Amino acid sequence: MGDSVGDVALRAPAAPFTWDDLLAMPDDGYRRELVHGQLLVTPSPVGRHQNVAGELYFLLRAARPAGLKVFAAPYDWKRSEATVFEPDLLVFRSEDFEPDGWLTATPLLVVEIASPSTATTDRTLKRAVYEEAGVLSYWLVDPVEPSLTVLELDGPSYREVAAVSGETPFGAARPFPVTVVPAALSGPG
């Protein structure tokens, strides 16, 4: 039992969350991720987000060369027992695919599509951990103001190589050649 100060009981901080804790949680439509033992919980994405995710998935899937896989959420990237992500889109080597498990290798590309509940986390916390993990390319997509920010690893740090919006195309070289036009991701009307 902890000490007390006035009417407030002081307790030791709870243990960090782990992969096993994540597996024991209900499948209730919330996205749960772990960053160094801290639990991040976000609601399921809205239609606009999912539409952009679907369009970008099909674009990447059609352009990918042999030897690479493109996956859309939900698919966990288990970096460690205390750090697990569920990015909106992942590109990784086919040899790293675990048909009956989760991705444990570092992806080549991670895409996060901004939602009101995730935009700040995507641009700060996740960016830092993806950079530390060695993810070569990190794309941030804004579905409301159609835009794409592209970060690529340059040594140990990310460097912004593109920030395009609307009808302006971005010609990616990493992880493979593909042209993305942010406004086109909202899909056919």
Side-chain angles (χ1 to χ4, degrees), residues 110-121:
V110 170
V111 179
E112 294 287 2
I113 301 165
S115 294
S117 61
T118 66
T120 300
T121 302

Side-chain angles (χ1 to χ4, degrees), residues 21-106:
D21 295 326
L22 206 58
L23 291 176
M25 292 180 187
D27 185 8
D28 57 5
Y30 286 94
R31 181 177 293 193
R32 290 178 173 84
E33 299 173 292
L34 298 177
V35 179
H36 305 304
Q38 179 184 16
L39 180 64
L40 305 177
V41 180
T42 55
S44 60
V46 297
R48 180 192 320 261
H49 178 285
Q50 291 301 84
N51 189 62
V52 168
E55 292 295 322
L56 189 52
Y57 169 81
F58 285 114
L59 180 69
L60 292 172
R61 179 85 169 77
R64 74 168 169 87
L68 296 181
K69 292 206 170 278
V70 177
F71 267 55
Y75 188 64
D76 289 334
W77 168 31
K78 182 182 174 192
R79 178 144 163 68
S80 71
E81 290 299 314
T83 301
V84 180
F85 292 105
E86 191 178 294
D88 292 308
L89 295 160
L90 293 161
V91 174
F92 55 94
R93 292 176 188 86
S94 297
E95 65 208 37
D96 295 331
F97 178 57
E98 294 290 335
D100 298 316
W102 304 269
L103 182 65
T104 56
T106 300

Side-chain angles (χ1 to χ4, degrees), residues 116-174:
S117 61
T118 66
T120 300
T121 302
D122 293 346
R123 291 194 177 280
T124 56
L125 181 64
K126 287 185 177 182
R127 175 187 170 147
V129 178
Y130 294 166
E131 184 177 71
E132 173 190 307
V135 175
L136 294 177
S137 296
Y138 179 31
W139 294 3
L140 296 140
V141 179
D142 184 336
V144 175
E145 300 291 331
S147 65
L148 168 66
T149 301
V150 177
L151 305 171
E152 291 186 353
L153 218 51
D154 184 9
S157 302
Y158 278 134
R159 177 175 55 88
E160 185 176 302
V161 297
V164 297
S165 60
E167 298 291 335
T168 304
F170 167 67
R174 279 186 182 174

